[in-house]
Every structure is written in structure tokens, then in C-alpha cells.
Amino acid sequence: MKRSRDKAASELFAALYPRLAGWCRRLVDDDETAHEIASEAFTRLWARWTSVEEPRGFLYVTAANLVRDHWRKLERERRAMRRATTEAAVRPHLEQADPSVRLLVQSLPERLRAPILLHYYADMPIREVSVLTGRKEGTVKADLHAARELLRVHLRRSLDHTL
């Protein structure tokens, strides 16, 4: 039993780790952090191995939550850095002028961010996003539409500020 469990976990790791780590890399912009997040997602899966019905979905949702935590930590560090430097009060905030899609996705409410990350960054079909988030397909489609509209408005506003 243990040998078959270890073999299944090893095969799953070989099949999914490279893609999960690559997905995380696009979201956090750092190889080391991406590998830490992907590894942590697998560690959490391994701890719940017998109770997880959909390992791939569990990995991506866990990684998305870890990415969110990473983004929050970075934002706390940025705020602390701005407070610590007098120069920050004089200089315009860089986040407002940065039209980076990653920062814009980060600014979305969780309800909209999760479907965007799973559908567009993890290439999951709407049906799978629906199952993983526990929402109906129509709700996922509506959330994706609302998220795209918000991103469009934020991107347009960011680009207007940079001109």
C-alpha cells in the first residue's frame, strides 16, 4: 500500500511539478520563490493525500493561495519601505504608474482573482474552474467577465497616468 502510494505521488510530482512551478514563476517573477511555492503545494497535498479527490486542482488552488500570500507579504514590505524612507513621500507611487498585468490581477478581489489565475494562468477550462471553486459555470463566466472589465478599466487608467 505504502509503495503504491509513494509511486503514485512520485508519478504525479513528475507529471505536474514543472508546469506548476512555471505557472508560479509567471505569477511571482522569481524562480526560487516559484519553486518554493510549488514545493509547498506538493507538501500540503502529500499531508492530505488520502483525502484529496482531485490532486491537480488541489495543487493549483493551494499554489494560488500561496502566491496571494506572497503578494501580500511583498505589499507589506513595500509599505514598510515607503514609510522608512523620506524619499517615498516626495516621489509618486510606482504602483500607480505600473500597468503590469500581474499587479492589476493582484489588485482584484479574491472572488475574481481566483478564476482569472486558474483559467488564464493555469489554462484550466471553465468547467474545471467551476468544480475547484465550488461555483456554477455561469458564475465563473460572469466572474471572468467582471474581472476582465475591471482589468481593462485599471489598465486604461494606468496607461493614462503614464502618458
Side-chain angles (χ1 to χ4, degrees):
M1 177 70 168
K2 177 153 173 40
R3 181 175 296 280
S4 65
R5 178 182 162 200
D6 290 348
K7 186 174 192 288
S10 179
E11 288 172 359
L12 184 74
F13 183 85
L16 296 181
Y17 183 85
R19 189 162 183 205
L20 181 66
W23 179 68
C24 291
R25 169 69 175 86
R26 288 192 308 270
L27 295 173
V28 299
D29 234 10
D30 177 63
D31 284 332
E32 186 176 335
T33 303
H35 285 287
E36 286 174 11
I37 289 171
S39 297
E40 178 64 21
F42 270 95
T43 300
R44 291 181 185 190
L45 172 64
W46 183 248
R48 294 165 185 79
W49 183 253
T50 56
S51 63
V52 173
E53 292 183 31
E54 177 50 55
R56 180 176 181 257
F58 179 90
L59 287 169
Y60 275 92
V61 169
T62 300
N65 289 335
L66 292 169
V67 165
R68 182 199 61 223
D69 293 345
H70 172 75
W71 285 345
R72 285 179 176 166
K73 179 183 172 210
L74 288 179
E75 183 54 35
R76 284 190 305 271
E77 290 171 356
R78 277 190 212 108
R79 280 195 302 259
M81 206 50 162
R82 281 196 299 265
R83 282 192 303 267
T85 61
T86 57
E87 188 178 303
V90 178
R91 198 173 54 212
H93 295 298
L94 296 176
E95 291 81 15
Q96 292 173 348
D98 185 355
S100 141
V101 173
R102 184 174 57 91
L103 288 175
L104 295 176
V105 169
Q106 178 183 346
S107 73
L108 289 172
E110 175 63 24
R111 178 182 66 82
L112 302 178
R113 186 174 48 241
I116 287 284
L117 292 175
L118 294 171
H119 183 67
Y120 290 108
Y121 287 86
D123 296 324
M124 291 185 184
I126 289 173
R127 180 174 54 265
E128 195 169 346
V129 174
S130 169
V131 170
L132 293 175
T133 59
R135 299 179 193 149
K136 294 181 179 179
E137 286 186 39
T139 303
V140 170
K141 289 177 184 178
D143 287 347
L144 287 170
H145 175 75
R148 285 190 306 268
E149 287 304 309
L150 272 174
L151 291 171
R152 188 180 345 269
V153 167
H154 288 306
L155 185 58
R156 189 173 294 126
R157 190 175 307 135
S158 294
L159 290 173
D160 288 347
H161 285 300
T162 60
L163 298 177

